[in-house]
Amino acid sequence: MINRYPREVAEGVFALGGWWGALAYLAVGAETLLIDTGVSHVAGAIQRAVRATGVHPGSIDRIVLTHYDYDHSGSAAQLARDLDVPVAIHAADAALVSNPSDSPGLRRLLYHQPVPQVLRWEPPEIATTLGEGDTVGDWQVLHTPGHTPGSMSLVRDDVGIVGDALVFWRGRLIPNVRHLATDVAAQEASTRRLATSALRTVLPGHYSVCTDPNAVEALRRRLAA
Ligand SMILES: [Zn+2]
C-alpha cells in the first residue's frame, strides 16, 4: 500500500508524514496536539504538512512525545520555539531527555556522545510531564513502557496513538523488536495490554497506520496461541 500524507486517519486525526520513517500526527480537538516530531531539522516540513491538512500551525497548543527517541523528539525543540508551545512527555522519559547517557540497555551506547552530536539532536525542554491516567486534550495517557521507560500511548475512544509500543508491519500489528527494548518484560506486558484493549484504529510510530478494526483482535489471538 502506498502511504499518502498528510491524510486524516481518524476523526480529526491526521498522519502528517514519516521522517526517517517516523510518523508524526496532528490531533484536532479540545486541544490541538502535535504528536511526535520526526528527526532533527524537519520542523519546516512538519509545519508544511500541518498547513496541508488545513490547520494553521499557529493553532497547535502542545507537542506531545510518545517517547524520547531521536526519531520522535528530533524536531521538538525547534517546533516548540517556532510555534511557542510547550512539550509534554512521560515523566520517565523526561528524566532521560535531560540525562540521555543514563539510558538503559542498548540506548546507553546510542545516547552517549558523540552520537547525539552527530545526529544533531537537540533535546527539547520539557514543560509538562505526563503519566498513566492523565488526560491531554481529548486523549487519555496509557503508560506503555518497555521500548523506553516512559513510552506512552494516547487513547481516545477506540483510537490509539501508540508510538513504538506496537508496530504495524505487512498488515499485522506486531510487538516491537526486543533488542531495542529497555525492558523486554515491560514491553511484553505493554503489548498484551494494547492487544486486550478495544482499539480499532492503531496509529504507530513507524511504517504505516493500522485502520483494520480486526488487527488488535488478531494480535491478541496470536499472543494467546
Ligand atoms: Zn523508538
Side-chain angles (χ1 to χ4, degrees):
M1 187 179 79
I2 293 170
N3 288 307
R4 286 183 170 280
Y5 300 117
R7 66 188 160 100
E8 194 167 15
V9 290
E11 203 190 331
V13 184
F14 300 85
L16 293 174
W19 287 272
W20 278 16
L23 294 163
Y25 296 96
L26 178 74
V28 178
E31 272 190 50
T32 297
L33 305 176
L34 174 62
I35 297 139
D36 287 345
T37 63
V39 294
S40 300
H41 300 277
V42 298
I46 287 178
Q47 290 198 57
R48 280 193 293 282
V50 170
R51 266 188 224 102
T53 69
V55 175
H56 191 279
S59 64
I60 292 171
D61 296 301
R62 195 191 296 266
I63 295 169
V64 182
L65 301 175
T66 58
H67 61 297
Y68 79 109
D69 276 346
Y70 296 129
D71 50 343
H72 298 257
S73 66
S75 288
Q78 184 67 53
L79 283 160
R81 271 196 301 275
D82 291 351
L83 303 173
D84 192 23
V85 293
V87 180
I89 194 169
H90 189 278
D93 274 22
L96 295 174
V97 166
S98 30
N99 291 300
S101 55
D102 287 352
S103 299
L106 182 63
R107 277 185 185 70
R108 195 186 307 278
L109 303 174
L110 291 174
Y111 286 82
H112 210 278
Q113 295 297 3
V115 185
Q117 223 161 11
V118 167
L119 293 176
R120 298 188 295 165
W121 184 54
E122 185 188 354
E125 208 173 288
I126 305 301
T128 320
T129 57
L130 295 168
E132 173 74 25
D134 286 344
T135 49
V136 55
D138 302 322
W139 300 79
Q140 204 180 0
V141 173
L142 256 59
H143 185 204
T144 46
H147 179 71
T148 65
S151 283
M152 63 180 188
S153 301
L154 300 178
V155 172
R156 187 198 72 192
D157 302 323
D158 61 0
V159 181
I161 299 172
V162 301
D164 287 357
L166 287 178
V167 175
F168 188 54
W169 179 244
R170 295 184 172 173
R172 285 178 160 201
L173 282 174
I174 56 172
N176 208 335
V177 288
R178 293 166 66 100
H179 70 269
L180 275 182
T182 56
D183 182 334
V184 171
Q187 177 167 286
E188 285 170 356
S190 295
T191 300
R192 279 196 301 277
R193 184 179 186 192
L194 291 169
T196 51
S197 71
L199 295 181
R200 292 168 73 82
T201 299
V202 179
L203 307 174
H206 292 276
Y207 304 118
S208 71
V209 305
C210 170
T211 52
D212 170 3
N214 300 312
V216 166
E217 196 193 319
L219 172 63
R220 179 159 66 235
R221 278 200 309 267
R222 286 197 304 278
L223 291 177

